[in-house]
């Protein structure tokens, strides 16, 4: 029986939570018609002012301070979980038990044991249970993938990727949950999970890891005196400082089952780079590169142009590329878009799955989030392996 409407909610009104809220607001305007009515029902955040402000800004009917109110609400069908990683398991399992469809932000959980329990809970239900890897929705990244899988570039031989941010650069940036947890729960989990997923998206499954270096640059941080959104940059701090428990920088090498090699670098202390994700994919018959600073384009090199003019060339994203036609209000070549649109495309894909539509690539299941964490575990293990290769479980 067709779904008459889908009531949506978001647990977490921070930085990424707002992106999910906006994504659902936009989703019904995108792509082909046929999506059931999307009802913007509720926002939940333990800090009530955040919940109320987010509900007002994005047009949701009510604000809550406890995720359990979302689970118990009969007018809510689908929920995004966008809170601190250690809270994911309890909330996701509770929502699934209440019969909700769930989209959980990456990384799926603070440990593979928690992630396994979440994947097992998803397997016991007929609800859509997915993990959010939003860069899979980039038009440019998907255009590169098409050139690798169906175009002339051929198989990737070397993937070189970085995700460099500076939110942790200042030593007096406030302590938050991002700086707590053991090795691998810092920059590696926060932003490295995205980069590892993109490596697999373009190169196929990872087989092994070696050569990991995990480094903590800032050893302690001031304890905040209030509640903040995002990376807590503006929250006041006191004199008390708490130790940083995880890494600021991670570098490592992955070997893929295809034989491709991937070199990876992630940092949250990269001065001057607020959100710098980029990669190069060197293939059998050419190469391609992407930089999030210029999300509406990619560069491509192959043997097509004659020798005197051969080299990397700029490709502007347009309606011939994934997600652009009907995905942007002005779906015209060179019209700009950015990371916020990726969340809207992801929200639409999630809602399509719930409605039984099969028009966009589905959001990865929780089992994929578990797989991603197993790779991160191998990355951490490789830091203590004296250069030996660590096989991904």
């Amino acid at each position: 029986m067709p779904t008459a409407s889908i009531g949506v909610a978001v647990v977490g009104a921070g930085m990424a939570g707002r992106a999910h809220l906006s994504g659902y607001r936009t989703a019904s305007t995108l792509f082909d018609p046929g999506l059931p009515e999307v009802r913007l029902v509720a926002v939940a955040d333990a800090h009530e002012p955040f919940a109320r402000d987010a509900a007002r800004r994005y047009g949701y009917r009510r604000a809550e301070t406890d995720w359990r109110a979302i689970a118990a609400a009969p007018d809510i069908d689908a929920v995004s979980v966008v809170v601190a990683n250690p809270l994911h398991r309890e909330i996701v399992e509770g929502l699934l038990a209440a019969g909700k469809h769930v989209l959980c932000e990456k990384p799926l959980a603070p440990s593979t044991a928690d992630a396994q329990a979440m994947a097992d809970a998803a397997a016991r239900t007929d609800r859509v249970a997915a993990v959010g890897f939003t860069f899979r929705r980039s038009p440019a990244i998907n255009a590169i993938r098409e050139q690798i899988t169906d175009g002339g570039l051929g198989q990737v031989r070397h993937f070189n990727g970085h995700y460099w941010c500076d939110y942790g650069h200042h030593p007096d940036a406030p302590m938050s949950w991002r700086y707590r947890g053991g090795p691998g729960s810092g920059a590696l989990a926060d932003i490295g999970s995205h980069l590892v997923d993109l490596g697999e998206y373009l190169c196929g499954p990872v087989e092994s890891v070696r050569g990991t270096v995990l480094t903590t640059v800032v050893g302690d941080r001031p304890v905040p005196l209030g509640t903040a959104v995002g990376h807590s940059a503006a929250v006041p701090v006191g004199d008390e400082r708490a130790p940083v428990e995880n890494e600021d920088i991670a570098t490592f090498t992955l070997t893929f089952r295809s034989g491709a090699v991937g070199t990876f670098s992630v940092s949250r202390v990269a001065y001057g780079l607020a959100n710098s994700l980029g990669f190069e994919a060197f293939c059998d018959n050419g190469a391609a590169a992407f930089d999030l600073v210029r999300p509406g384009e990619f560069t491509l090199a192959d043997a097509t142009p004659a020798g005197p003019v051969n080299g990397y060339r700029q490709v502007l994203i347009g309606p011939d590329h994934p997600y652009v036609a009907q995905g942007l209000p002005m779906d015209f070549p060179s019209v700009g878009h950015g990371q916020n649109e990726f969340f809207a495309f992801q929200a639409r894909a999630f809602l399509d799955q719930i409605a039984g539509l099969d028009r966009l690539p589905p959001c990865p299941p929780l089992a994929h989030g578990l797989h991603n964490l197993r790779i991160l575990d191998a990355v951490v293990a490789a830091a203590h392996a004296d250069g030996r290769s660590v096989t991904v479980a």
Side-chain angles (χ1 to χ4, degrees):
M1 184 177 214
T3 303
S5 67
I6 303 172
V8 298
V10 175
V11 178
M15 181 175 64
R18 294 198 301 260
H20 281 254
L21 290 161
S22 177
Y24 288 124
R25 183 183 175 95
T26 304
S28 60
T29 71
L30 306 179
F31 309 121
D32 293 331
L35 183 69
E37 177 194 3
V38 177
R39 293 177 285 104
L40 308 179
V41 181
V43 185
D45 196 285
H47 189 58
E48 186 175 13
F50 287 177
R52 290 193 177 280
D53 179 70
R56 177 187 62 80
R57 285 179 185 274
Y58 297 102
Y60 285 68
R61 296 175 185 173
R62 61 181 183 268
E64 305 284 1
T65 57
D66 194 323
W67 68 266
R68 295 170 184 83
I70 302 294
D75 57 346
I76 294 172
D77 305 296
V79 186
S80 280
V81 177
V82 198
V83 292
N85 304 338
L87 304 177
H88 286 183
R89 177 179 174 179
E90 179 186 14
I91 296 174
V92 168
E93 290 184 349
L95 291 170
L96 289 174
K100 311 302 184 186
H101 303 279
V102 178
L103 174 61
C104 182
E105 261 297 332
K106 60 84 239 163
L108 184 59
S111 71
T112 53
D114 286 330
Q116 182 69 67
M118 294 163 71
D120 290 345
R124 293 191 295 268
T125 178
D126 62 353
R127 304 291 89 178
V128 176
V131 62
F133 284 103
T134 51
F135 290 108
R136 288 177 170 239
R137 304 294 164 178
S138 158
I141 291 172
N142 279 278
I144 291 172
R145 188 171 188 253
E146 287 183 348
Q147 291 302 309
I148 292 169
T149 58
D150 303 319
L153 288 182
Q155 184 174 302
V156 179
R157 295 302 180 186
H158 178 201
F159 176 90
N160 179 57
H162 69 265
Y163 202 160
W164 298 329
C165 301
D166 65 358
Y167 65 84
H169 175 267
H170 199 289
D172 291 329
M175 174 59 68
S176 76
W177 63 266
R178 296 180 189 274
Y179 303 107
R180 302 187 188 278
S185 65
L188 179 63
D190 189 22
I191 52 182
S193 54
H194 271 308
L195 194 61
V196 166
D197 183 66
L198 280 184
E200 288 203 307
Y201 195 54
L202 298 180
C203 304
V206 171
E207 183 174 82
S208 62
V209 188
R210 70 169 61 204
T212 300
V213 176
L214 302 175
T215 301
T216 303
V217 176
V218 180
D220 57 64
R221 295 185 177 278
V223 175
L225 298 178
T227 305
V229 176
H231 296 297
S232 307
V235 69
V237 298
D239 295 330
E240 181 186 359
R241 300 182 74 89
V244 172
E245 300 171 355
N246 51 34
E247 72 287 342
D248 294 321
I249 300 168
T251 61
F252 51 95
T253 299
L254 299 181
T255 299
F256 298 86
R257 290 181 197 167
S258 66
V261 173
T263 47
F264 293 75
S265 171
V266 298
S267 173
R268 62 189 182 192
V269 292
Y271 182 85
L273 297 175
N275 188 40
S276 180
L277 179 146
F279 63 81
E280 298 82 32
F282 302 101
C283 307
D284 284 334
N285 304 314
F290 171 79
D291 188 338
L292 186 59
V293 174
R294 303 173 72 90
E297 65 181 61
F298 64 97
T299 56
L300 184 75
D302 58 23
T304 302
V309 292
N310 190 281
Y312 276 92
R313 59 189 184 274
Q314 179 192 47
V315 180
L316 296 178
I317 292 298
D320 289 333
H321 298 112
Y323 293 106
V324 174
Q326 301 182 70
L328 300 175
M330 293 178 62
D331 51 359
F332 192 75
S334 82
V335 173
H337 67 271
Q339 194 169 345
N340 283 299
E341 279 80 8
F342 305 167
F343 284 92
F345 302 157
Q346 175 180 260
R348 179 57 189 259
F350 178 51
L351 294 169
D352 276 9
Q353 286 175 260
I354 294 169
L357 304 175
D358 186 22
R359 299 184 297 210
L360 292 174
C363 297
L366 297 193
H368 178 77
L370 169 61
H371 168 71
N372 182 265
L373 283 175
R374 285 175 172 156
I375 298 174
L376 301 190
D377 274 1
V379 171
V380 174
H384 309 286
D386 297 324
R388 296 188 306 275
S389 179
V390 176
T391 300
V392 175

